[in-house]
């Protein structure tokens, strides 16, 4: 009886205690390392770390949505806009503390995500992509519609100051890096747990076969909406972090290119993988700067060099997809498996099924967007 | 959850943490070794050495604002190359590092921090765009980096109290609106006037200026557009239905072209008064021909732009007899020949000339503070048609413009240069001075 009860608890609730502790340990380790790095880094690197961190939050939310629940969204840039404007308005008009602003921005965006999710749960594949695309295009233009509230083209300025407790000479960029990294670590921790919980398993079940999942008693519609809510909340939090980091929220910052960028980052990193979200974000932030620097240092004019990042981005996407169909994280796992001579295979393993191989070549595994972490 | 799964997950989690840490550490190390850029070399100010002055900028080299505007920075750079080839500024060569922000404020934040924190530029020069530059004004002022000659006519750069390191340059849209508005009030007395403007700061500031001068009773229709929506048929129909005989427009070139074509389609023939931003004849004519071609018609850009009334705050680029235009043409042919010789190129050269003037005035051993002081003490008029507004209490740029009419692809000045301020009651006066010709050397003298 006791056995059954504990069994049920682990089934219903959060992941088993060991997983929780492991994730907690991983998060703490990551936090300590990031703290050390922000102290070592100069102001510009701190700023880049903050940039990476807010992209990680957004991409992690998206990669969970696509990789786990199997729904695509081209509208997460717009969710970021919702979060960013919420944060800006709360800071400007109500002068809320940063922590409260972050929670509120995530909550507001989660609410919007729920509304979009309800509509999205009825759509599949390209229709879903199209619907979220419209959302991405429509949201920024609201800023032009309600100029007095959203500041129109000029946007809203967000001023964040370093808390007095840290001393007068504490660099603002380091404080921004701390806020964004803390948020990123917490988000990764929560999402990792969620992915390992019953909800995460149900998402994978829906992704692989909706009918089978429904037959097994999974509430498909509710879980699909929930995935959208989680993804939107992450994007909203990322938007709020972007507002705090860049100091301005304007419609030109949330174009369709942002949504596409998040999607490519998730794909390049490895769909469904949180570590992949980190890789994808690193590519998003470093690739343009690096490509421009290489181009201009080889004598290309700035104007011509400016087009190089776009080319590099495309080349990187193609190269990663050719070499590692499951993104950078999938590729790394393959390499690690090759090096250790082990070959793990599970139903949602990131390894592509090899035709005729003794394991994992059942038709059910055709949706293999990658494993959880 | 079985044992091997757990170990795998654990390894994955640990790997994730370590990988992130390694990458970030690499980034941090890259920072400490790749930093610097110009802080060593004798002179005391950041970005200045005995042999060079390093300045930076954010420009829309790609993205929606790139067509046309991406010509500006190379043109400025061409003028700096010309100055460098003739001895530089007090023996120092100007090195101009302009980075692409794709007209996205988040990118602007990033590239400007790179320029200031990583490359240690002396100043940020001619950062382009209202929303983009707004993202970095606080940062630049907190870092005490001169933020000179912003490429936007927003009044927001003129805030000496809160943004003492920031200076505008081009004629702001309120002053421009007043000057165009007075012309309309005087020359189209009793006619019905319609507005067609971009629904943001640019259009709203312009309309503010127009409303200071044009009696409310004359304005029969006010139509706005969003730069993302090219279907302006309804607005043009509304202007026609209201019987507007004069259409005053604060719009970018693409929408001036669409406006003109839409009126043709409706057999509607009002007089056009258009702000300087939208009327570079070469750009506008090219757009008209391209748009007409798309819908299967052949038009002549020069014929369609004929008669459009506009204004100018630097000499008209089509006026080959002007000494400033001759200088810019010479520099263009030598250093920037692949670009068309149009208004954007003229703009880039003119603002670069103003920067060299300021650097010359900033002294033999310029510092960031001495550059700001030099501008606040007032700059010689130079390339501008009217004097600059610069003082310790005014950081806006050009104070006036002349009215011009496009004739055969060239803006021909009509009447005197008019100057004014940004207040509703501020008078519009005729500028009594004359603009000095460009120096024979092409380089401002101390």
């Amino acid at each position: 009886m006791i056995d059954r009860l504990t069994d049920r608890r682990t089934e219903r609730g959060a992941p088993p205690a060991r997983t929780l502790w492991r994730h907690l340990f991983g998060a703490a380790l990551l936090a300590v390392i990031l703290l050390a790095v922000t102290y070592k880094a100069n102001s510009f690197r701190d700023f880049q770390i903050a940039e990476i961190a807010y992209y990680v939050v957004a991409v992690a939310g998206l990669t969970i949505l696509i990789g786990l629940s199997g729904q695509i969204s081209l509208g997460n840039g717009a969710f970021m806009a919702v979060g960013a404007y919420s944060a800006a308005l709360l800071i400007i008009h109500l002068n809320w503390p940063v922590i409260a602003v972050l929670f509120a921005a995530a909550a507001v965006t989660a609410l919007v995500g729920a509304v979009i999710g309800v509509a999205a749960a009825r759509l599949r594949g390209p229709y879903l992509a199209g619907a979220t695309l419209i959302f991405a295009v429509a949201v920024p233009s609201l800023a032009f519609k309600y100029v007095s509230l959203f500041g129109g083209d000029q946007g809203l300025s967000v001023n964040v100051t370093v808390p007095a407790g840290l001393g007068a000479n504490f660099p603002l960029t380091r404080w921004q890096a701390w806020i964004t990294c803390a948020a990123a670590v917490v988000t990764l921790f929560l999402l990792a747990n969620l992915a390992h919980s019953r909800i995460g398993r149900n998402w994978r079940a829906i992704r692989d076969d909706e009918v089978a999942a429904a037959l097994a008693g999974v509430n498909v519609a509710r879980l699909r909406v929930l995935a959208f809510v989680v993804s939107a909340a992450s994007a909203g939090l990322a938007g709020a972090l972007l507002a705090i980091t860049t100091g301005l929220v304007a419609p030109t910052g949330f174009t369709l290119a942002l949504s596409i960028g998040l999607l490519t980052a998730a794909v390049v990193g490895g769909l469904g993988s949180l570590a992949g979200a980190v890789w994808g974000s690193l590519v998003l932030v470093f690739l343009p700067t690096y490509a421009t620097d290489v181009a201009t240092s080889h004598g290309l004019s700035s104007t011509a060099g400016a087009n190089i990042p776009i080319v590099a981005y495309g080349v990187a996407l193609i190269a990663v997809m050719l070499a590692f169909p499951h993104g950078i994280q999938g590729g790394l796992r393959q390499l690690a498996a090759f090096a250790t001579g082990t070959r793990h295979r599970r139903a949602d393993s990131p390894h592509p099924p090899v035709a005729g191989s003794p394991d994992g070549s059942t038709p059910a595994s055709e949706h293999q967007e990658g494993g959880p972490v | 959850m079985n044992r091997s799964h757990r170990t795998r997950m654990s390894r994955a989690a640990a790997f994730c943490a370590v990988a992130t840490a390694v990458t970030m550490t690499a980034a941090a190390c890259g920072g400490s070794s790749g930093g610097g850029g110009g802080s060593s070399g004798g002179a005391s100010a950041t970005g200045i050495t005995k042999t060079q002055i390093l300045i930076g900028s954010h420009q829309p080299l790609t993205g929606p604002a790139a067509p046309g505007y991406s010509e500006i920075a190379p043109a400025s750079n061409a003028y700096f190359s010309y100055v460098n080839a003739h001895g530089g500024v007090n023996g120092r060569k100007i090195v101009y590092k302009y980075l692409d922000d794709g007209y996205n404020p988040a990118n602007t934040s990033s590239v400007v921090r790179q320029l200031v924190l990583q490359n240690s530029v002396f100043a940020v020069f001619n950062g382009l765009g209202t929303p983009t530059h707004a993202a970095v004004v606080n940062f630049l002022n907190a870092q005490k980096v001169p933020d000179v000659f912003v490429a936007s006519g927003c009044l927001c750069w003129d805030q000496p109290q809160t943004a003492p390191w920031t200076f505008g340059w081009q004629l702001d849209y309120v002053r421009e609106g007043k000057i165009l508005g007075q012309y309309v009030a005087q020359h189209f007395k009793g006619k019905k006037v319609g507005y067609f403007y971009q629904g943001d700061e640019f259009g709203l500031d312009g309309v503010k200026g127009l409303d200071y001068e044009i009696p409310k009773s004359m304005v029969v229709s006010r139509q706005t557009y969003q730069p993302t929506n090219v279907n302006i048929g309804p607005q043009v129909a509304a202007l026609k239905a209201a019987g507007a005989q004069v259409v005053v427009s604060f719009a970018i070139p693409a929408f001036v072209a669409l406006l003109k074509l839409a009126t043709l389609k409706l057999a509607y023939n009002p007089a056009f008064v258009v702000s300087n931003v939208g009327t570079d004849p070469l750009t506008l004519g090219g757009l008209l021909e391209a748009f007409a071609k798309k819908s299967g018609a052949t038009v002549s850009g020069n014929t369609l732009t004929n008669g459009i009334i506009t204004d100018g705050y630097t000499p008209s680029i089509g006026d080959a007899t002007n000494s400033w235009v001759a200088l810019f043409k010479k520099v263009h042919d030598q250093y920037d020949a692949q670009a068309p010789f149009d208004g954007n190129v003229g703009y880039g050269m003119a603002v670069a000339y103003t920067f060299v003037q300021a650097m010359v005035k900033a002294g033999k051993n310029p510092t960031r503070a001495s550059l700001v002081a030099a501008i606040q003490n007032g700059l010689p008029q130079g390339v501008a048609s009217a004097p600059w507004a610069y003082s310790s209490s005014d950081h806006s740029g050009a104070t006036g413009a002349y009215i011009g009419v496009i004739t055969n692809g060239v803006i021909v000045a009509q009447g005197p240069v008019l100057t004014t301020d940004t207040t509703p009651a501020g008078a519009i006066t005729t500028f009594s001075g004359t603009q000095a010709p460009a120096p024979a050397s092409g380089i401002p003298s101390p």
Side-chain angles (χ1 to χ4, degrees):
Chain A
M1 185 64 196
I2 288 169
D3 265 339
R4 277 191 65 185
L5 273 179
T6 37
D7 229 329
R8 286 192 58 170
R9 197 182 54 76
T10 34
E11 270 294 290
R12 278 210 67 80
R18 293 253 342 237
T19 314
L20 192 69
W21 282 112
R22 209 176 44 246
H23 287 164
L24 208 56
F25 175 73
L29 186 70
L30 191 63
V32 170
I33 293 167
L34 286 171
L35 192 67
V37 171
T38 51
Y39 262 108
K40 285 282 287 178
N42 64 24
S43 294
F44 177 59
R45 292 300 173 184
D46 272 345
F47 177 79
Q48 280 192 319
I49 290 170
E51 271 189 305
I52 294 164
Y54 70 67
Y55 279 126
V56 165
V57 175
V59 177
L62 185 62
T63 210
I64 289 285
L65 178 75
I66 304 175
L68 258 55
S69 88
Q71 302 177 92
I72 196 163
S73 168
L74 292 174
N76 274 37
F79 285 132
M80 281 181 77
V82 173
Y85 274 100
S86 310
L89 291 172
L90 287 173
I91 291 174
I92 293 167
H93 295 296
L94 301 176
N95 208 9
W96 279 20
V98 169
I99 296 288
V101 166
L102 296 182
F103 273 107
V108 169
T109 319
L111 210 64
V112 177
V115 175
I116 301 293
V118 168
R122 295 165 181 277
L123 300 170
R124 300 288 181 273
Y127 304 101
L128 177 58
T132 51
L133 182 75
I134 291 169
F135 182 64
V137 173
V139 165
S141 56
L142 287 178
F144 295 108
K145 191 85 186 156
Y146 304 102
V147 173
S148 55
L149 183 61
F150 296 128
D153 182 44
Q154 211 182 334
L156 301 171
S157 266
V158 182
N159 266 326
V160 188
T161 46
V162 178
L166 289 169
N169 291 324
F170 195 86
L172 178 64
T173 46
R174 189 180 300 157
W175 172 238
Q176 289 165 329
W178 280 9
I179 298 172
T180 47
C181 285
V185 169
V186 170
T187 307
L188 287 177
F189 171 71
L190 293 177
L191 290 179
N193 286 339
L194 194 63
H196 286 104
S197 71
R198 177 181 180 149
I199 292 171
R201 285 192 295 280
N202 285 346
W203 277 339
R204 267 168 262 151
I206 294 173
R207 177 198 68 193
D208 288 342
D209 194 326
E210 236 174 73
V211 177
L215 281 173
V218 174
N219 187 337
V220 174
R222 206 180 70 187
L223 277 154
R224 283 176 62 112
V225 175
L226 183 66
F228 247 97
V229 170
V230 169
S231 171
S234 306
L237 178 61
L241 296 169
L242 178 145
I244 287 166
T245 310
T246 61
L248 186 94
V249 182
T252 40
F254 303 98
T255 51
L256 190 57
L258 175 65
S259 294
I260 307 275
L262 295 178
L263 182 63
T264 18
V267 171
V268 165
L271 276 178
S273 155
L274 293 179
V278 177
W279 297 125
S281 306
L282 288 168
V283 170
L284 263 189
V285 172
F286 283 123
L287 189 72
T289 331
Y290 183 72
T292 311
D293 284 354
V294 169
T296 45
S297 68
H298 282 72
L300 219 59
S301 77
S302 292
T303 317
N307 289 294
I308 295 298
I310 302 168
V311 177
Y313 212 62
V315 170
L317 184 62
I318 294 169
V320 168
M321 286 300 101
L322 280 178
F324 315 118
H326 291 287
I328 297 175
Q329 183 62 14
L332 287 171
R333 274 194 206 141
Q334 269 177 330
L335 289 177
F338 182 73
T340 56
T342 52
R343 284 180 151 258
H344 292 287
R345 284 275 160 77
R346 291 192 308 124
D348 59 356
S349 121
H351 305 278
V354 181
S357 75
D359 55 343
S361 51
T362 54
S365 53
E366 68 179 13
H367 280 294
Q368 295 195 344
E369 270 104 328
V373 174
Chain B
M1 196 172 275
N2 64 38
R3 173 86 205 164
S4 78
H5 179 202
R6 249 185 244 145
T7 357
R8 201 177 76 83
M9 297 319 301
S10 167
R11 251 193 286 121
F15 179 76
C16 163
V18 171
T20 314
V22 167
T23 322
M24 299 252 168
T25 317
C29 295
S32 39
S33 62
S39 47
S40 57
S44 54
T46 311
I48 301 241
T49 67
K50 277 198 174 125
T51 54
Q52 76 168 42
I53 301 164
L54 178 66
I55 58 173
S57 187
H58 61 90
Q59 297 283 328
L61 302 178
T62 63
Y69 291 159
S70 62
E71 294 167 16
I72 292 175
S76 298
N77 203 29
Y79 181 72
F80 292 142
S81 302
Y82 174 83
V83 171
N84 293 345
H86 292 79
V89 179
N90 287 318
R92 295 185 182 90
K93 291 186 168 22
I94 297 174
V95 178
Y96 184 28
K97 185 177 170 90
Y98 52 95
L99 297 176
D100 179 34
D101 65 7
Y103 210 67
N104 174 344
N107 293 351
T108 314
S109 275
S110 178
V111 298
V112 167
R113 277 170 177 82
Q114 185 188 339
L115 290 166
V116 171
L117 302 172
Q118 187 88 335
N119 306 125
S120 306
V121 295
F122 171 68
V124 168
F125 162 74
N126 201 224
L128 196 148
T130 305
T132 46
H133 199 72
V136 292
V137 166
N138 288 339
F139 168 73
L140 290 172
N141 280 277
Q143 296 278 331
K144 298 187 169 30
V145 178
D147 172 25
V148 294
F149 311 146
V150 181
S152 145
C154 180
L155 271 179
C156 33
W157 319 124
D158 176 25
Q159 298 188 3
Q161 300 299 322
T162 54
W165 297 82
T166 298
F167 293 87
W169 181 76
Q170 68 194 60
L171 183 66
D172 61 79
Y173 304 132
V174 175
R175 279 190 173 96
E176 188 179 11
K178 284 176 73 176
I179 290 168
L180 289 175
Q182 188 197 45
Y183 182 89
V184 171
Q186 286 174 353
H187 290 77
F188 295 102
K189 210 172 257 174
K191 295 265 171 71
K192 290 177 178 169
V193 178
Y195 292 170
F196 178 77
Y197 57 100
Q198 191 163 312
D200 63 10
E201 242 52 41
F202 161 49
L204 293 172
D205 274 2
V207 164
K208 199 192 275 179
L210 290 172
D211 280 340
Y212 291 162
E213 297 298 325
I214 303 177
K216 283 256 166 18
S217 57
M218 277 175 78
V219 185
V220 293
S221 179
R222 292 162 184 266
Q223 300 295 324
T224 63
Y225 73 90
Q226 297 302 336
T228 47
N229 182 359
V230 294
N231 176 22
I232 57 161
Q235 290 97 315
V236 180
L239 287 168
K240 187 184 182 190
Q245 296 152 298
V246 185
V247 172
V248 188
S249 174
F250 271 78
I252 56 175
F255 281 83
V256 177
L258 289 171
L259 171 68
K260 179 72 193 178
L261 292 174
T263 56
L264 287 178
K265 218 178 270 176
L266 294 178
Y268 168 45
N269 202 16
F272 287 100
V273 179
V274 182
S275 94
N276 176 283
V277 170
T279 53
D280 172 48
L282 202 59
T283 312
L284 190 55
L287 283 166
L288 280 165
E289 287 171 12
F291 288 165
K293 204 171 169 187
K294 258 190 216 165
S295 47
T298 313
V299 301
S300 152
N302 278 357
T303 314
L304 289 188
T305 54
N306 258 344
I308 293 178
I309 297 155
T310 183
D311 64 283
Y313 52 88
T314 58
S316 164
I317 202 79
D319 181 2
T321 59
N322 185 288
S323 61
W324 293 96
V325 175
L327 167 65
F328 293 162
K329 184 87 177 87
K330 183 170 86 177
V331 175
H332 168 265
D333 292 350
Q334 198 174 349
Y335 295 99
D336 194 24
Q338 76 281 9
F341 190 61
D342 63 8
N344 294 306
V345 167
Y347 180 103
M349 300 227 185
V351 71
Y353 183 90
T354 313
F355 181 73
V356 174
Q357 279 184 309
M359 282 311 297
V360 167
K361 272 197 71 188
K364 287 242 183 302
N365 289 305
T367 62
R368 285 173 166 174
S370 82
L371 174 64
V372 167
I375 301 171
Q376 287 193 153
N377 287 336
L379 291 180
Q381 192 182 328
V383 66
S385 303
W388 301 109
Y390 301 127
S391 73
S392 55
S393 60
D394 194 335
H395 284 195
S396 60
T399 58
Y402 54 86
I403 294 290
V405 176
I406 302 182
T407 315
N408 295 322
V410 173
I411 297 175
V412 179
Q414 309 278 308
V417 173
L418 305 164
T419 63
T420 186
D421 61 15
T422 55
T423 62
I428 298 172
T429 50
T430 303
F431 174 52
S432 53
T434 47
Q435 185 182 8
S441 67
I443 295 170
S445 49

